[in-house]
């Protein structure tokens, strides 16, 4: 395998690549025993992307990704990360947008944990400013445990301006702040939403806070006054998931 390519595995990461960066997918290896609905969806996307699909025996798949949860599908992709634009994601959605915005997260492990939470909740993209924020470092990608492949991480030059652009698309911007008067479980928001999380301790920057449509707090009964950002993100995102399903 060329040093310019690497392997990713599993339906979710590969289909996300085919949707958001199809030209980076060089080849797909598929277990010839799989003929279910997910395979049909994958083949449809691969055909649209002109990506080569090779059906192989299961032992070859196992040898390519030993001890991995590959689900019978592996792709060889460009190892270089493509710089995604937010419009690349929003313009392809067929459902109301569901976004996570991280303001001031500099710890790569926290970023990785947030990406894992975002992936689990079905978030369409994670947005962060280019300044005062960590990029997709090796530490962040390792902490993400594969979620860096499935959730687009988009770094923007001006976060407040990006939030205003989201609002112009009728996406409600909800910030989290300990001093907010409304709590997470009684506040109301539309289905199309961007959740904004600030750094633990410092919280959101002033301009970010002022750009939000609403601020909510997570009610807590104990003695601590704040949560790790990935924990807070999980609580808010899954409350949003519960309402989206309802």
């Amino acid at each position: 395998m060329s040093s310019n390519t690497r392997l990713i595995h599993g339906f979710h990461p590969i289909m996300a690549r085919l949707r958001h960066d199809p030209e980076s997918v060089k080849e797909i290896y598929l277990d010839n025993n799989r003929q279910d609905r997910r395979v049909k969806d994958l083949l449809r996307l691969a055909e649209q992307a002109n990506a080569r699909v090779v059906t192989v025996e299961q032992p070859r798949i196992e040898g390519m990704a030993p001890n991995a949860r590959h689900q019978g599908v592996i792709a060889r992709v460009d190892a270089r990360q493509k710089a995604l634009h937010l419009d690349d994601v929003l313009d392809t959605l067929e459902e109301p947008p569901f976004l996570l915005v991280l303001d001031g997260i500099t710890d790569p492990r926290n970023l990785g944990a947030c990406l894992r939470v975002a992936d689990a909740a079905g978030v369409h993209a994670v947005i962060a400013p280019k300044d005062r924020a960590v990029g997709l470092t090796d530490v962040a990608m390792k902490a993400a445990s594969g979620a860096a492949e499935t959730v687009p991480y988009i770094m923007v030059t001006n976060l407040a301006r990006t939030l205003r652009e989201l609002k112009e698309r009728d996406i409600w911007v909800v910030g989290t702040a300990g001093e907010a008067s409304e709590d997470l479980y009684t506040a109301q928001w539309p289905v199309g939403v961007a959740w904004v999380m600030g750094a633990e301790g410092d919280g959101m920057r002033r301009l970010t806070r002022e750009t939000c449509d609403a601020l909510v707090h997570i009610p807590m009964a104990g003695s601590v006054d704040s949560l790790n950002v990935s924990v807070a993100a999980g609580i808010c995102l899954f409350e949003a998931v519960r309402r989206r399903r309802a």
Side-chain angles (χ1 to χ4, degrees):
M1 185 170 61
S2 166
S3 60
N4 292 328
T5 62
R6 60 193 179 90
L7 297 179
I8 63 174
H9 48 77
F11 281 94
H12 195 172
I14 294 172
M15 292 173 75
R17 273 280 184 142
L18 288 169
R19 289 191 182 99
H20 301 307
D21 191 10
E23 64 272 16
S24 73
V25 181
K26 306 304 180 185
E27 209 164 38
I28 299 171
Y29 302 91
L30 180 64
D31 184 343
N32 59 8
N33 290 319
R34 290 210 58 155
Q35 298 179 0
D36 49 65
R37 174 64 183 273
R38 299 190 80 182
V39 168
K40 293 179 181 177
D41 291 341
L42 176 72
L43 292 176
R44 175 177 54 82
L45 287 173
E47 183 179 8
Q48 292 172 356
N50 293 319
R52 181 169 179 250
V53 178
V54 181
T55 55
V56 298
E57 299 289 337
Q58 186 179 27
R60 184 175 177 188
I61 293 281
E62 294 291 347
M64 294 174 72
N67 304 316
R69 297 179 61 186
H70 51 69
Q71 300 174 302
V73 60
I74 294 172
R76 183 169 60 85
V77 302
D78 195 323
R80 295 164 294 185
Q81 290 286 336
K82 176 188 174 184
L84 271 179
H85 297 286
L86 186 55
D87 288 343
D88 295 335
V89 175
L90 296 178
D91 291 344
T92 63
L93 294 181
E94 297 178 354
E95 59 183 343
F98 187 25
L99 307 170
L100 174 62
V101 181
L102 302 175
D103 187 20
I105 308 304
T106 58
D107 186 320
R109 292 177 181 81
N110 277 343
L111 171 59
C114 286
L115 288 169
R116 290 183 68 182
V117 169
D119 172 80
V123 164
H124 297 125
V126 175
I127 304 167
K130 289 181 178 177
D131 63 309
R132 288 185 62 220
V134 64
L136 278 179
T137 65
D138 290 344
V139 173
M141 294 185 71
K142 182 177 181 180
S145 299
E149 295 290 349
T150 62
V151 183
Y153 182 55
I154 301 169
M155 302 190 79
V156 298
T157 303
N158 188 314
L159 184 58
R161 182 173 63 209
T162 298
L163 294 179
R164 289 193 293 269
E165 290 170 356
L166 293 180
K167 293 164 72 169
E168 290 172 2
R169 286 177 172 262
D170 294 324
I171 300 171
W172 197 256
V173 179
V174 182
T176 53
E179 71 278 10
S181 57
E182 285 195 284
D183 76 65
L184 171 68
Y185 301 111
T186 59
Q188 299 298 314
W189 59 83
V191 179
V193 65
W195 281 92
V196 187
M197 304 283 160
E200 186 176 355
D202 294 336
M204 294 178 290
R205 289 178 288 183
R206 179 186 59 82
L207 198 53
T208 303
R209 178 192 301 263
E210 292 175 354
T211 310
C212 292
D213 290 301
L215 296 175
V216 303
H217 72 270
I218 299 171
M220 294 189 290
S223 59
V224 299
D225 58 4
S226 66
L227 297 170
N228 176 274
V229 63
S230 64
V231 174
I235 292 170
C236 294
L237 293 178
F238 276 95
E239 173 61 13
V241 168
R242 183 186 69 81
R243 299 192 192 189
R244 286 169 75 90
R245 291 179 176 175

